Amino acid sequence: VFSGNRDPNVDGFSAALDDRLPAGALMYLAFGDLRDFWRGFLDSAKESIPNFEQQRRQLETALGFSLEEDLFPLFRQEGAVAVYRGSGTTPRVTFLLDVEGEEEKARNVITRLGALLQLGQEGAMRKLQIEGVEVTQLSAPGEAFVAFLGVSDGTLIVSTTQAGFREALGPDTPLAEDAVYEEAREAAEMPDESIGFLYVNLNQAFDSFAGLSGQEVDPEVRQNVEPLESTLLYAERDGNRIVFSGFLTIK
C-alpha cells in the first residue's frame, strides 16, 4: 500500500463498463472523472509553452469544437481501456467512455475528427453500420492504423477492429464475469468505489506479448512466470490522501 498527500479533487466511481466488454482481457484500465486532469494539463502547457493560447485557439478552430466545452465533458464519468489478443502480431484495443447526457457532443467530436483527417489528407473516413449503430471508420494512409468509433446506449466506443466494436455492444460473457478478473478483484479486496484501477492477466499477457517479439522464450523464464496469474492495482481516497493498493495472484 502506498499513499500520497496530494488532493486532486477526484471522486470515486463504481465500475460498470466491465459489463460492456468481453471476458478474456489481457489488460484492463478503468478511471473516473478526468476533467480536472485535462484542465491541469492545459494550465501547465499555458505556463511552459510560449503563445500556447494562440495555438490552442487555432487548434480548436481547425477541430471545430472547444476542448473545455465539448471534449473534456466527455471525461466526466467512467472510462476504460481494454487490450485483447488480436490477429497476427497486433493486439486488439477497445476504449470506452460513459457519455450519458453528452451523446451529441461525442458524435460531433467523432464527425469533426473524421472531417479534419480527410481535409488534411492524413487519412480516410467512411461511415458504416455495425449491429444497427452508425460507426465512423478512421484510417491512416495505407491503413497503418484503423479505428472504429461510435456511440451506443450512452457509451462512446472506440476499437481498433470491427469485431472489438461489435463485442462492446453486448458481449456474450462480459469481463465482469471473467473468472480470473473476478478472482483478482476479490483477492485484492477492492472496494465498490475507487478512483481507478489496473488489472493484468499476467499469464495470458506474457504469452501474447512474448509472441509479438517472434523470439523463443527461455524455458527458465517461462517456468518462473507460469505461477503468476494476475495482478490488480487500485487507488482510493482516504480523506485528503490518495491510497494505492495492489495484489498479485499466484497459482
Side-chain angles (χ1 to χ4, degrees), residues 58-66 70 108 112 116:
Q58 292 174 344
L59 173 63
E60 291 181 334
T61 299
L63 290 171
F65 58 81
S66 164
D70 298 310
N108 180 59
R112 292 303 305 164
L116 184 63

Side-chain angles (χ1 to χ4, degrees), residues 13-22 25 27-34 38 74-84 92-99 154-160 164 168 175-176 181 185 190 195-199:
F13 68 96
S14 180
L17 291 178
D18 50 6
D19 267 327
R20 293 292 305 265
L21 289 160
M27 185 196 79
Y28 181 70
L29 172 67
F31 53 87
D33 189 343
L34 291 183
W38 293 121
L74 303 183
F75 289 85
R76 70 183 177 87
Q77 300 178 104
E78 183 185 358
V81 181
V83 180
Y84 296 85
R92 185 173 84 252
V93 181
T94 301
F95 171 71
L96 301 183
L97 275 180
D98 180 351
V99 294
T155 304
L156 169 64
I157 304 170
V158 182
S159 186
T160 54
L175 178 61
Y181 174 74
R185 290 191 58 161
M190 186 175 144
I195 293 174
F197 65 91
L198 171 66
Y199 156 80

